[in-house]
């Protein structure tokens, strides 16, 4: 396809010629967000020593990012559609850069929490913008390949974060975990100024302020309930009340969107299985992925005894698999059908989880990485077709909203994966360990019962024989809990495989956006039948 031919799809020839450079900027921006969400976990022990952070403060350093990120995604995507996606991207990058500079110089845990929340707000503007700009820069026949690259970065970045943080902590002070982002973001800002085109929804529809407020309230409350549930108990009065409040806000949002003249989210999208089934599949994929990273990081460090850098490096093969396989899934989806490729990927994810259920306290690294590689291939096979399917159901002038829904399903799935699987591990761990910690002093018993890390600290202070026995029993209890958790994850993935195979349209994952240009679709009514607005997104 020539640059002149790209004009038939509403793409300026000069923009078309620079499209792969534009994709590089978008993927760099995306990587900053993903790494920012996953890199802090290995830094937490250092922050305890350096800043005297409490357990609650550590939790909020991690959760503040996720909470505001998930809550603002839909609103930020809609704002990008309305006022300009490039502007939303640049604003988000500038805010992220400022937050990284501030966090690197923070002298208290409270300040780190504040800047992490600022990063989450910024990320909510960056992530939807990257995918919505992508869909407006690439013509249909190249779009799925570009989305595959985008999805590979999104998946691999989650594993790259711990590796980067482990390396920096091994050689520099804790603030370097944040400061390393500054030159990368600055480069993305400068390159983006020249390489990223402006695009927006040409319809000057009024902002759906009420819908935005209900969506923010609903998502923030829901994610908060999920985050707090493992600590408070899933059946506790506080958790149930918070969940009820979240669903009430979401119900108000859906009711408002159904009846308002200019909704932020057109609920008719969910009638399209390309959108609804793919969104559910994406949630299940990230449920398994983030749950896996959460458990494996602890298994590497607290059971097999690797340090933070060693644990991060041992996850590198999975990141490599994700980033290598995902860009090539478009051809498989085109040949075999998106429903088969995604269902096959989810089946591999379920298989990976069952293989992880065979691990013991002295399993070899080869056994672990074999299971992770199977899971990595499975996840890579799902993410690109599902993302393309979601975006194919949304008209180009609403690409920011579609991208935000795609990102929200990822964030919700990841939060649920960590919370649910973490709760299962904690419950089994506690029930088994109580049988061996009854004779310990109260303070030591409570520390050992709280977590595997606490039990290992207590064990190091006991006489040699007693310490080794406690450490071994605690590790066995954790691994037993992990076995239960991965079975739940396997069942979720297998269920998703069946639903996707039966319900996802066969072509859903390889045709992101209609194959014909808006100008070829004729009248507005004919264009609407193909999901294309009569006035496509403005790209200049």
């Amino acid at each position: 396809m020539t640059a002149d031919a790209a004009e038939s799809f509403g793409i300026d020839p000069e923009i078309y010629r620079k499209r792969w450079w534009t994709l590089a900027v978008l993927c760099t921006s995306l990587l900053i967000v993903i790494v920012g969400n996953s890199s802090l976990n290995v830094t937490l022990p250092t922050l305890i020593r350096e800043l005297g952070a409490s357990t609650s403060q550590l939790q909020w350093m991690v959760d503040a990012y996720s909470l505001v990120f998930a809550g603002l995604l839909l609103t930020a995507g809609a704002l990008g559609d309305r006022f300009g996606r490039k502007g939303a991207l640049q604003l988000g990058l500038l805010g992220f850069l400022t937050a990284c500079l501030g966090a690197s110089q923070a002298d208290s845990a409270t300040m780190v929490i504040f800047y992490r929340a600022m990063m989450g707000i910024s990320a909510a503007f960056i992530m939807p913008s990257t995918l919505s700009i992508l869909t407006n820069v690439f013509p249909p026949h190249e779009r799925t390949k570009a989305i595959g690259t985008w999805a590979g970065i999104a998946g691999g970045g989650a594993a790259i974060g711990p590796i980067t943080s482990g390396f920096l902590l091994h050689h520099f002070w804790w603030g370097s975990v944040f400061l390393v982002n500054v030159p990368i973001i600055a480069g993305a800002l400068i390159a983006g100024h020249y390489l990223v085109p402006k695009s927006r929804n040409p319809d000057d529809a009024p902002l759906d302020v009420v819908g935005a407020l209900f969506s923010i309230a609903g998502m923030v409350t829901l994610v908060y309930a999920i985050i707090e549930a493992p600590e408070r108990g899933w059946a506790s009065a506080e958790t149930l009340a918070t969940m009820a409040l979240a669903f009430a806000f979401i119900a108000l949002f859906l009711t408002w969107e159904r009846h308002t003249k200019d909704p932020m989210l057109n609920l008719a999208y969910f009638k399209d299985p390309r959108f609804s089934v793919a969104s559910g599949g994406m949630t299940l994929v990230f449920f398994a992925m983030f749950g896996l990273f959460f458990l494996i990081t602890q298994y590497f460090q607290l059971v097999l005894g690797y340090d933070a850098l060693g644990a991060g490096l041992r996850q590198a093969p999975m990141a490599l698999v994700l980033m290598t396989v995902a860009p090539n899934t478009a051809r498989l989806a085109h040949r075999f059908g998106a429903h088969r490729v995604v269902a096959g990927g989810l089946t591999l994810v379920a298989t990976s989880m069952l293989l992880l259920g065979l691990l013991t306290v002295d399993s070899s690294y080869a056994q672990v990485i074999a299971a992770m590689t199977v899971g990595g291939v499975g996840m890579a096979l799902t993410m690109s077709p599902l993302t393309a399917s979601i975006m194919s159901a949304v008209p180009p002038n609403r690409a920011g909203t579609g991208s935000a829904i795609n990102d929200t399903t990822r964030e919700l799935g990841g939060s649920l994966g960590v919370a649910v699987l973490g709760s299962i591990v904690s419950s089994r761990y506690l029930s088994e360990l109580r049988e061996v910690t009854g004779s310990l002093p109260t303070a030591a018993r409570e520390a050992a019962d709280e977590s595997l890390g606490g039990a290992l600290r207590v064990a190091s202070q006991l006489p040699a024989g007693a310490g080794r026995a406690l450490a071994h029993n605690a590790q066995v209890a954790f691994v037993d809990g992990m076995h239960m958790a991965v079975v739940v994850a396997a069942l979720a993935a297998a269920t998703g495989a069946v639903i996707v195979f039966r319900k996802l349209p066969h072509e859903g994952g390889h045709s992101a956006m209609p194959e014909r240009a808006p100008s070829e679709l004729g009248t507005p009514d004919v264009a609407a039948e193909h999901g294309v607005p009569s006035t496509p997104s403005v790209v200049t």
Side-chain angles (χ1 to χ4, degrees):
M1 178 176 172
T2 65
D4 291 337
E7 286 189 274
S8 64
F9 292 97
I11 303 174
D12 182 91
E14 182 61 26
I15 291 172
Y16 178 76
R17 280 190 286 268
K18 296 187 296 186
R19 65 198 183 285
W20 295 109
W21 290 105
T22 301
L23 180 63
V25 176
L26 298 178
C27 286
T28 301
S29 303
L30 173 67
L31 188 63
I32 291 165
V33 172
I34 300 297
V35 170
N37 200 9
S38 64
S39 63
L40 190 66
N41 289 324
V42 297
T43 316
L44 298 181
T46 304
L47 295 176
I48 294 174
R49 295 193 304 270
E50 298 294 331
L51 299 180
S54 65
T55 301
S56 176
Q57 287 174 323
L58 292 176
Q59 182 181 9
W60 277 109
M61 287 179 192
V62 175
D63 295 342
Y65 185 103
S66 299
L67 197 66
V68 296
F69 178 52
L72 288 173
L73 271 170
L74 189 56
T75 300
L79 287 172
D81 281 340
R82 175 66 175 78
F83 294 108
R85 297 161 189 138
K86 178 178 180 177
L89 174 64
Q90 298 285 80
L91 177 64
L93 287 172
L94 185 61
F96 210 102
L97 185 150
T98 304
C100 286
L101 282 172
S104 70
Q105 304 302 315
D107 56 5
S108 69
T110 301
M111 291 305 297
V112 174
I113 294 170
F114 170 80
Y115 285 116
R116 285 282 294 173
M118 186 175 174
M119 290 177 202
I121 294 171
S122 304
F125 283 88
I126 296 171
M127 195 168 182
S129 299
T130 60
L131 184 55
S132 58
I133 291 170
L134 181 158
T135 58
N136 280 277
V137 168
F138 284 86
H141 70 283
E142 292 181 336
R143 196 171 292 141
T144 47
K145 183 178 180 180
I147 287 176
T149 302
W150 185 93
I153 294 294
I160 291 173
I163 300 171
T164 305
S165 294
F167 175 83
L168 292 170
L169 289 173
H170 190 73
H171 292 90
F172 306 102
W173 98 111
W174 66 267
S176 63
V177 171
F178 299 109
L179 199 61
V180 70
N181 292 317
V182 171
I184 302 173
I185 300 171
L189 274 167
I190 295 170
H193 176 75
Y194 296 101
L195 296 173
V196 175
K198 295 179 180 179
S199 69
R200 61 177 177 82
N201 181 356
D203 300 327
D204 291 327
L207 288 177
D208 181 11
V209 177
V210 175
L213 292 176
F214 280 147
S215 73
I216 292 171
M219 288 304 303
V220 168
T221 308
L222 179 59
V223 174
Y224 176 80
I226 293 170
I227 289 170
E228 290 292 308
E231 181 71 22
R232 295 178 174 178
W234 287 91
S236 68
E238 295 92 336
T239 298
L240 294 176
T242 309
M243 285 283 189
L245 182 61
F247 289 130
F249 279 129
I250 292 172
L252 287 171
F253 170 70
L254 296 176
T255 302
W256 176 264
E257 297 300 280
R258 187 176 294 113
H259 294 99
T260 189
K261 180 182 177 182
D262 297 295
M264 182 169 65
L265 174 63
N266 188 342
L267 299 184
Y269 297 156
F270 288 97
K271 296 178 181 179
D272 188 336
R274 293 176 301 169
F275 190 89
S276 55
V277 175
S279 295
M282 190 72 78
T283 301
L284 291 174
V285 170
F286 275 77
F287 177 91
M289 174 185 279
F290 275 71
L292 171 63
F293 288 145
F294 176 74
L295 297 176
I296 285 297
T297 299
Q298 294 182 75
Y299 179 79
F300 276 148
Q301 295 190 57
L302 301 178
V303 178
L304 298 187
Y306 300 122
D307 61 13
L309 178 58
L313 288 173
R314 283 167 175 81
Q315 296 181 53
M318 186 172 181
L320 184 62
V321 167
L322 285 163
M323 298 175 74
T324 302
V325 176
N328 297 301
T329 54
R331 287 177 296 179
L332 294 174
H334 182 79
R335 180 175 180 181
F336 299 106
H339 66 305
R340 291 192 180 95
V341 173
V342 175
L346 284 167
T347 301
L348 287 178
V349 171
T351 303
S352 169
M353 292 299 165
L354 294 177
L355 290 174
L356 290 172
L358 301 177
L359 299 180
T360 66
V361 294
D362 54 3
S363 291
S364 66
Y365 171 66
Q367 186 177 350
V368 181
I369 201 59
M372 291 180 66
T373 301
V374 172
V377 172
M379 292 170 190
L381 288 174
T382 63
M383 287 188 290
S384 175
L386 289 176
T387 299
S389 182
I390 291 171
M391 297 306 294
S392 72
V394 181
N397 67 331
R398 292 287 187 176
T401 301
S403 177
I405 290 293
N406 172 71
D407 301 335
T408 301
T409 60
R410 292 165 178 259
E411 191 63 25
L412 274 179
S415 297
L416 278 169
V418 172
V420 173
L421 301 188
S423 292
I424 292 171
V425 172
S426 296
S427 177
R428 181 62 180 269
Y429 169 84
L430 182 59
S431 66
E432 287 193 18
L433 200 64
R434 276 179 173 169
E435 299 176 6
V436 297
T437 58
S439 60
L440 292 175
T442 302
R445 183 177 68 252
E446 291 177 350
D449 288 347
E450 182 178 351
S451 66
L452 176 54
L456 295 179
R457 286 193 298 272
V458 172
S460 68
Q461 300 167 5
L462 296 176
R468 283 194 297 271
L470 175 60
H472 178 74
N473 285 322
Q475 290 171 333
V476 169
F478 177 85
V479 172
D480 287 347
M482 199 168 85
H483 291 167
M484 291 185 63
V486 295
V487 168
V488 171
L491 289 173
T495 301
V498 173
I499 294 173
V500 164
F501 184 78
R502 296 183 61 184
K503 299 295 185 181
L504 187 69
H506 297 188
E507 75 283 358
H510 73 83
S511 182
M513 305 296 180
E515 290 294 336
R516 292 194 287 168
S519 60
E520 296 176 282
L521 295 174
T523 67
D525 289 339
V526 174
E529 290 179 6
H530 289 79
V532 179
S534 56
T535 51
S537 291
V538 175
V539 183
T540 60

